[in-house]
Amino acid sequence: MEIKKVKRSEDYSGWYNNLVKNADLAEHSDVKGCMIIKPYGYAIWEKMQAELDRRFKETGHQNAYFPLFIPKSFFTKEASHVDGFAKECAVVTHYRLKVDPITKEIVVDPDAKLEEELIVRPTSETIIWNTYRSWIQSYRDLPILLNQWANVVRWEMRTRLFLRTTEFLWQEGHTAHATADEAIAETKQMLEVYADFAENILAVPVIKGIKSANERFAGAIDTYCIEGLMQDGKALQMGTSHFLGQNFAKAFDVKYVTKENTKEYVWATSWGVSTRLMGALIMSHSDDEGLVLPPRLAPIQVVIVPISRKPEEKELVMEKANHYFQLLKKQGVLVKLDDRDHLSPGFKFADYELKGVPVRIAIGPRDVQNETVEVARRDTKEKQVMSAADLEHKIPHLLEQIQANIYQRALDYRSEHIHAVNTWDEFMDALDNKTGFVSAHWDGSSETEEKIKEMSKATIRCIPLDNPQEFGKCILTGNDSKERVLFARAY
RNA sequence: CGGGGUGUAGCGUAGCCUGGUAUCGCGCCACAUUUGGGAUGUGGAGGUCGUAGGUUCGAAUCCUGCCACCCCGACCA
């Protein structure tokens, strides 16, 4: 296959699109804004799901499933929620097609108009809280700790593979609590779960923070988030966890009876991450040779490529290769033996690099003779000849090293791309020339934030949770500020 | 939705300005030789040139509409 190569440094979007296609992760479908996630890409998503799902369950959550369709009337109940999502809703208005008697074409049957339109869910707060009303009577019914894995639809104007598609896959947690404190603790707990997942599994360092009012989720009191930094210096919101207060309980009249026999509105949270994480993964680690996968997410962690010239060599090589394959498999390593003999080793090397397989083991006649193998790691492209006897214990260790190295590299990159500035000129210089996060004072008003966005195209990504108190002057207005916030240009 | 660009075989493309039914590479199929960084040879299959109209004896090529996708904005996870 002749592969079009695009350099990351020359055309970042082109590089990204090319990589998604060449690594066999996904492709554009014939449906506008919707993508087809291919088996290899989906395998990575499944690993993300498994890791997240395990963490959700460890923190006491259960999975459930709610309808894809939401009656329009539900949507109108929470005012700011409608405002936030109205512009991007797909709406079902009819339930039947028919053959037009004149043109013989299949058309929407005008007689099959729905009494009430159905919204294809952009998020499920409304239908879930409508359901919670009937589930919750007493404090004994609380908390409810649910998650659902689902697809949602947001009719965005412009889409990008994985980062923003019309339909996307995600999980959304929806919890109900008796007290504000408990709900806030839940919100923060899930933020920690996301951060832990991002850093330890995706190997993407993230900044935990809280959103400014402008960037808050529609219907939330507070939105917590994790923000990652991509290799082009742009920030990416990788997950959000919302404290919804009693907004949805009030909108859907969800009350519970306390121990003291009083009625109170229920407190809510919601939290989600999506297939956008695939985009974060790709844009955090990959290079001009293709995808770079952290071992903990790689569907194939180690690939064995046998090399042989003559049939009698092939037999010996394959025998050894099979042996190593079994050995590593027993160690719990996700190993693949690529014995396709119509493809040359060189082709396979390049192909597995494109797909980001963390470790490649090549074994040829020379190795059989010396009881060695050639081990190449994807992250650094280093190759070493390893004694075959060491494979069993060294490979699992090497995988962990690669995981750590990828994370460290991303962390170093981020550290080099957080700049503290004190003036407007420094601010613009940092955004334009240094790229990345810019830590600056802001007077706390939405108007100022809006103005800065207009002038610089940078938004407040978050107010970091571990932010030190530091008094200063807003970079735009010169007004007093009590802490720095993180700005960046973002996806 | 505004600005720019692209659409020709599974992929990447030439041809378009100056109309005459399509070029090349990769891939695919068969056979042989090969295999330590994207193998080679020989033979073969594969195309309503995005789509609908128009101009013309004749359209991939000229004109008009539409659609899709990509990039840059606005919007957003």
mmCIF file of all heavy atoms in Angstrom, chain A residues 54-80:
data_model
loop_
_atom_site.group_PDB
_atom_site.id
_atom_site.type_symbol
_atom_site.label_atom_id
_atom_site.label_comp_id
_atom_site.label_asym_id
_atom_site.label_seq_id
_atom_site.Cartn_x
_atom_site.Cartn_y
_atom_site.Cartn_z
ATOM 1 N N ARG A 54 -14.600 -0.381 34.982
ATOM 2 C CA ARG A 54 -14.098 -0.982 36.212
ATOM 3 C C ARG A 54 -14.007 0.063 37.321
ATOM 4 O O ARG A 54 -14.434 -0.164 38.453
ATOM 5 C CB ARG A 54 -12.714 -1.593 35.954
ATOM 6 C CG ARG A 54 -12.113 -2.315 37.129
ATOM 7 C CD ARG A 54 -10.878 -3.123 36.729
ATOM 8 N NE ARG A 54 -9.782 -2.294 36.210
ATOM 9 C CZ ARG A 54 -9.016 -1.509 36.956
ATOM 10 N NH1 ARG A 54 -9.219 -1.414 38.249
ATOM 11 N NH2 ARG A 54 -8.041 -0.801 36.410
ATOM 12 N N ARG A 55 -13.508 1.238 36.973
ATOM 13 C CA ARG A 55 -13.387 2.313 37.971
ATOM 14 C C ARG A 55 -14.749 2.802 38.436
ATOM 15 O O ARG A 55 -14.933 3.141 39.604
ATOM 16 C CB ARG A 55 -12.581 3.476 37.385
ATOM 17 C CG ARG A 55 -11.082 3.189 37.293
ATOM 18 C CD ARG A 55 -10.383 4.230 36.418
ATOM 19 N NE ARG A 55 -8.936 4.150 36.520
ATOM 20 C CZ ARG A 55 -8.188 3.237 35.914
ATOM 21 N NH1 ARG A 55 -8.758 2.290 35.181
ATOM 22 N NH2 ARG A 55 -6.875 3.247 36.061
ATOM 23 N N PHE A 56 -15.696 2.872 37.525
ATOM 24 C CA PHE A 56 -17.047 3.308 37.915
ATOM 25 C C PHE A 56 -17.635 2.315 38.917
ATOM 26 O O PHE A 56 -18.250 2.701 39.909
ATOM 27 C CB PHE A 56 -17.981 3.406 36.702
ATOM 28 C CG PHE A 56 -17.562 4.422 35.675
ATOM 29 C CD1 PHE A 56 -17.993 4.315 34.354
ATOM 30 C CD2 PHE A 56 -16.748 5.499 36.018
ATOM 31 C CE1 PHE A 56 -17.619 5.256 33.403
ATOM 32 C CE2 PHE A 56 -16.355 6.443 35.073
ATOM 33 C CZ PHE A 56 -16.795 6.303 33.753
ATOM 34 N N LYS A 57 -17.448 1.050 38.621
ATOM 35 C CA LYS A 57 -18.034 0.032 39.493
ATOM 36 C C LYS A 57 -17.330 -0.006 40.847
ATOM 37 O O LYS A 57 -17.972 -0.203 41.878
ATOM 38 C CB LYS A 57 -18.030 -1.320 38.789
ATOM 39 C CG LYS A 57 -19.140 -1.352 37.748
ATOM 40 C CD LYS A 57 -19.091 -2.496 36.789
ATOM 41 C CE LYS A 57 -20.247 -2.320 35.781
ATOM 42 N NZ LYS A 57 -20.047 -3.101 34.568
ATOM 43 N N GLU A 58 -16.013 0.210 40.792
ATOM 44 C CA GLU A 58 -15.266 0.258 42.055
ATOM 45 C C GLU A 58 -15.736 1.402 42.949
ATOM 46 O O GLU A 58 -15.601 1.340 44.169
ATOM 47 C CB GLU A 58 -13.761 0.429 41.789
ATOM 48 C CG GLU A 58 -13.070 -0.888 41.523
ATOM 49 C CD GLU A 58 -11.642 -0.680 41.045
ATOM 50 O OE1 GLU A 58 -11.168 0.479 41.020
ATOM 51 O OE2 GLU A 58 -11.011 -1.705 40.682
ATOM 52 N N THR A 59 -16.261 2.446 42.342
ATOM 53 C CA THR A 59 -16.752 3.572 43.142
ATOM 54 C C THR A 59 -18.262 3.483 43.351
ATOM 55 O O THR A 59 -18.920 4.482 43.650
ATOM 56 C CB THR A 59 -16.379 4.919 42.470
ATOM 57 O OG1 THR A 59 -16.678 4.833 41.067
ATOM 58 C CG2 THR A 59 -14.913 5.237 42.646
ATOM 59 N N GLY A 60 -18.803 2.291 43.145
ATOM 60 C CA GLY A 60 -20.181 2.043 43.551
ATOM 61 C C GLY A 60 -21.264 2.299 42.517
ATOM 62 O O GLY A 60 -22.448 2.312 42.854
ATOM 63 N N HIS A 61 -20.871 2.497 41.272
ATOM 64 C CA HIS A 61 -21.888 2.794 40.256
ATOM 65 C C HIS A 61 -22.350 1.537 39.531
ATOM 66 O O HIS A 61 -21.621 0.551 39.468
ATOM 67 C CB HIS A 61 -21.332 3.803 39.249
ATOM 68 C CG HIS A 61 -20.885 5.079 39.877
ATOM 69 N ND1 HIS A 61 -19.613 5.238 40.415
ATOM 70 C CD2 HIS A 61 -21.528 6.245 40.114
ATOM 71 C CE1 HIS A 61 -19.503 6.456 40.926
ATOM 72 N NE2 HIS A 61 -20.648 7.086 40.763
ATOM 73 N N GLN A 62 -23.551 1.623 39.002
ATOM 74 C CA GLN A 62 -24.093 0.540 38.192
ATOM 75 C C GLN A 62 -24.446 1.094 36.823
ATOM 76 O O GLN A 62 -24.772 2.273 36.680
ATOM 77 C CB GLN A 62 -25.377 -0.012 38.818
ATOM 78 C CG GLN A 62 -25.163 -0.778 40.108
ATOM 79 C CD GLN A 62 -26.497 -1.271 40.638
ATOM 80 O OE1 GLN A 62 -27.369 -0.476 40.988
ATOM 81 N NE2 GLN A 62 -26.652 -2.579 40.682
ATOM 82 N N ASN A 63 -24.452 0.217 35.828
ATOM 83 C CA ASN A 63 -24.845 0.645 34.495
ATOM 84 C C ASN A 63 -26.344 0.443 34.276
ATOM 85 O O ASN A 63 -26.931 -0.498 34.799
ATOM 86 C CB ASN A 63 -24.082 -0.141 33.430
ATOM 87 C CG ASN A 63 -22.639 0.311 33.329
ATOM 88 O OD1 ASN A 63 -22.335 1.483 33.594
ATOM 89 N ND2 ASN A 63 -21.750 -0.595 32.968
ATOM 90 N N ALA A 64 -26.912 1.327 33.487
ATOM 91 C CA ALA A 64 -28.324 1.204 33.100
ATOM 92 C C ALA A 64 -28.429 1.789 31.700
ATOM 93 O O ALA A 64 -27.437 2.265 31.140
ATOM 94 C CB ALA A 64 -29.210 1.971 34.073
ATOM 95 N N TYR A 65 -29.640 1.733 31.155
ATOM 96 C CA TYR A 65 -29.803 2.297 29.814
ATOM 97 C C TYR A 65 -31.138 2.995 29.662
ATOM 98 O O TYR A 65 -32.177 2.429 29.981
ATOM 99 C CB TYR A 65 -29.644 1.217 28.737
ATOM 100 C CG TYR A 65 -29.576 1.822 27.361
ATOM 101 C CD1 TYR A 65 -28.389 2.379 26.899
ATOM 102 C CD2 TYR A 65 -30.701 1.892 26.548
ATOM 103 C CE1 TYR A 65 -28.325 2.987 25.653
ATOM 104 C CE2 TYR A 65 -30.647 2.495 25.305
ATOM 105 C CZ TYR A 65 -29.456 3.044 24.855
ATOM 106 O OH TYR A 65 -29.392 3.653 23.629
ATOM 107 N N PHE A 66 -31.079 4.214 29.178
ATOM 108 C CA PHE A 66 -32.269 5.037 28.975
ATOM 109 C C PHE A 66 -32.491 5.278 27.488
ATOM 110 O O PHE A 66 -31.575 5.084 26.688
ATOM 111 C CB PHE A 66 -32.103 6.372 29.720
ATOM 112 C CG PHE A 66 -32.126 6.210 31.219
ATOM 113 C CD1 PHE A 66 -30.973 5.842 31.909
ATOM 114 C CD2 PHE A 66 -33.296 6.399 31.932
ATOM 115 C CE1 PHE A 66 -30.999 5.658 33.283
ATOM 116 C CE2 PHE A 66 -33.326 6.218 33.311
ATOM 117 C CZ PHE A 66 -32.179 5.845 33.992
ATOM 118 N N PRO A 67 -33.705 5.715 27.105
ATOM 119 C CA PRO A 67 -34.032 5.830 25.677
ATOM 120 C C PRO A 67 -33.177 6.843 24.915
ATOM 121 O O PRO A 67 -32.742 7.845 25.464
ATOM 122 C CB PRO A 67 -35.497 6.278 25.687
ATOM 123 C CG PRO A 67 -36.031 5.866 26.998
ATOM 124 C CD PRO A 67 -34.891 5.990 27.954
ATOM 125 N N LEU A 68 -33.037 6.525 23.642
ATOM 126 C CA LEU A 68 -32.345 7.407 22.698
ATOM 127 C C LEU A 68 -33.155 8.683 22.457
ATOM 128 O O LEU A 68 -32.615 9.741 22.202
ATOM 129 C CB LEU A 68 -32.170 6.638 21.376
ATOM 130 C CG LEU A 68 -31.704 7.377 20.138
ATOM 131 C CD1 LEU A 68 -30.268 7.854 20.316
ATOM 132 C CD2 LEU A 68 -31.802 6.450 18.929
ATOM 133 N N PHE A 69 -34.492 8.536 22.553
ATOM 134 C CA PHE A 69 -35.385 9.657 22.233
ATOM 135 C C PHE A 69 -35.895 10.336 23.495
ATOM 136 O O PHE A 69 -36.233 9.668 24.467
ATOM 137 C CB PHE A 69 -36.593 9.163 21.435
ATOM 138 C CG PHE A 69 -36.222 8.467 20.169
ATOM 139 C CD1 PHE A 69 -36.538 7.133 19.985
ATOM 140 C CD2 PHE A 69 -35.535 9.137 19.168
ATOM 141 C CE1 PHE A 69 -36.194 6.477 18.810
ATOM 142 C CE2 PHE A 69 -35.193 8.492 17.995
ATOM 143 C CZ PHE A 69 -35.523 7.152 17.822
ATOM 144 N N ILE A 70 -35.964 11.643 23.411
ATOM 145 C CA ILE A 70 -36.459 12.411 24.548
ATOM 146 C C ILE A 70 -37.612 13.297 24.062
ATOM 147 O O ILE A 70 -37.425 14.081 23.121
ATOM 148 C CB ILE A 70 -35.336 13.288 25.138
ATOM 149 C CG1 ILE A 70 -34.175 12.392 25.596
ATOM 150 C CG2 ILE A 70 -35.871 14.135 26.291
ATOM 151 C CD1 ILE A 70 -32.973 13.159 26.101
ATOM 152 N N PRO A 71 -38.794 13.189 24.674
ATOM 153 C CA PRO A 71 -39.904 14.048 24.267
ATOM 154 C C PRO A 71 -39.507 15.523 24.387
ATOM 155 O O PRO A 71 -38.834 15.900 25.356
ATOM 156 C CB PRO A 71 -41.008 13.709 25.285
ATOM 157 C CG PRO A 71 -40.663 12.334 25.768
ATOM 158 C CD PRO A 71 -39.172 12.264 25.757
ATOM 159 N N LYS A 72 -39.907 16.298 23.432
ATOM 160 C CA LYS A 72 -39.494 17.700 23.387
ATOM 161 C C LYS A 72 -39.863 18.436 24.679
ATOM 162 O O LYS A 72 -39.115 19.277 25.158
ATOM 163 C CB LYS A 72 -40.140 18.402 22.191
ATOM 164 C CG LYS A 72 -39.537 19.761 21.894
ATOM 165 C CD LYS A 72 -40.202 20.436 20.716
ATOM 166 C CE LYS A 72 -41.547 21.001 21.095
ATOM 167 N NZ LYS A 72 -42.226 21.671 19.967
ATOM 168 N N SER A 73 -41.009 18.092 25.242
ATOM 169 C CA SER A 73 -41.484 18.799 26.437
ATOM 170 C C SER A 73 -40.520 18.641 27.618
ATOM 171 O O SER A 73 -40.378 19.542 28.431
ATOM 172 C CB SER A 73 -42.875 18.299 26.830
ATOM 173 O OG SER A 73 -42.824 16.898 27.071
ATOM 174 N N PHE A 74 -39.824 17.480 27.688
ATOM 175 C CA PHE A 74 -38.859 17.291 28.771
ATOM 176 C C PHE A 74 -37.747 18.324 28.668
ATOM 177 O O PHE A 74 -37.224 18.819 29.646
ATOM 178 C CB PHE A 74 -38.208 15.907 28.698
ATOM 179 C CG PHE A 74 -39.120 14.782 29.087
ATOM 180 C CD1 PHE A 74 -40.485 14.955 29.184
ATOM 181 C CD2 PHE A 74 -38.592 13.527 29.361
ATOM 182 C CE1 PHE A 74 -41.325 13.906 29.524
ATOM 183 C CE2 PHE A 74 -39.421 12.480 29.711
ATOM 184 C CZ PHE A 74 -40.787 12.662 29.786
ATOM 185 N N PHE A 75 -37.419 18.590 27.433
ATOM 186 C CA PHE A 75 -36.274 19.449 27.181
ATOM 187 C C PHE A 75 -36.487 20.872 27.635
ATOM 188 O O PHE A 75 -35.566 21.554 28.034
ATOM 189 C CB PHE A 75 -35.959 19.432 25.677
ATOM 190 C CG PHE A 75 -34.581 18.983 25.450
ATOM 191 C CD1 PHE A 75 -34.293 17.639 25.468
ATOM 192 C CD2 PHE A 75 -33.556 19.901 25.314
ATOM 193 C CE1 PHE A 75 -32.998 17.210 25.326
ATOM 194 C CE2 PHE A 75 -32.265 19.467 25.180
ATOM 195 C CZ PHE A 75 -31.982 18.125 25.185
ATOM 196 N N THR A 76 -37.718 21.305 27.547
ATOM 197 C CA THR A 76 -38.026 22.703 27.836
ATOM 198 C C THR A 76 -38.076 22.970 29.328
ATOM 199 O O THR A 76 -38.231 24.110 29.751
ATOM 200 C CB THR A 76 -39.381 23.070 27.204
ATOM 201 O OG1 THR A 76 -40.369 22.194 27.747
ATOM 202 C CG2 THR A 76 -39.340 22.891 25.710
ATOM 203 N N LYS A 77 -37.956 21.926 30.127
ATOM 204 C CA LYS A 77 -38.175 22.109 31.564
ATOM 205 C C LYS A 77 -37.035 22.787 32.317
ATOM 206 O O LYS A 77 -37.250 23.397 33.344
ATOM 207 C CB LYS A 77 -38.506 20.765 32.218
ATOM 208 C CG LYS A 77 -39.897 20.302 31.813
ATOM 209 C CD LYS A 77 -40.386 19.140 32.619
ATOM 210 C CE LYS A 77 -41.820 18.786 32.210
ATOM 211 N NZ LYS A 77 -42.296 17.562 32.830
ATOM 212 N N GLU A 78 -35.821 22.599 31.842
ATOM 213 C CA GLU A 78 -34.706 23.244 32.534
ATOM 214 C C GLU A 78 -34.170 24.320 31.592
ATOM 215 O O GLU A 78 -33.564 24.011 30.573
ATOM 216 C CB GLU A 78 -33.628 22.224 32.905
ATOM 217 C CG GLU A 78 -32.873 22.518 34.200
ATOM 218 C CD GLU A 78 -31.981 23.737 34.114
ATOM 219 O OE1 GLU A 78 -31.430 24.003 33.025
ATOM 220 O OE2 GLU A 78 -31.819 24.443 35.128
ATOM 221 N N ALA A 79 -34.392 25.560 31.960
ATOM 222 C CA ALA A 79 -34.207 26.670 31.014
ATOM 223 C C ALA A 79 -32.804 26.766 30.420
ATOM 224 O O ALA A 79 -32.643 26.834 29.204
ATOM 225 C CB ALA A 79 -34.586 27.981 31.691
ATOM 226 N N SER A 80 -31.775 26.751 31.273
ATOM 227 C CA SER A 80 -30.430 26.955 30.736
ATOM 228 C C SER A 80 -29.963 25.727 29.933
ATOM 229 O O SER A 80 -29.168 25.835 29.011
ATOM 230 C CB SER A 80 -29.446 27.251 31.862
ATOM 231 O OG SER A 80 -29.389 26.180 32.768
#
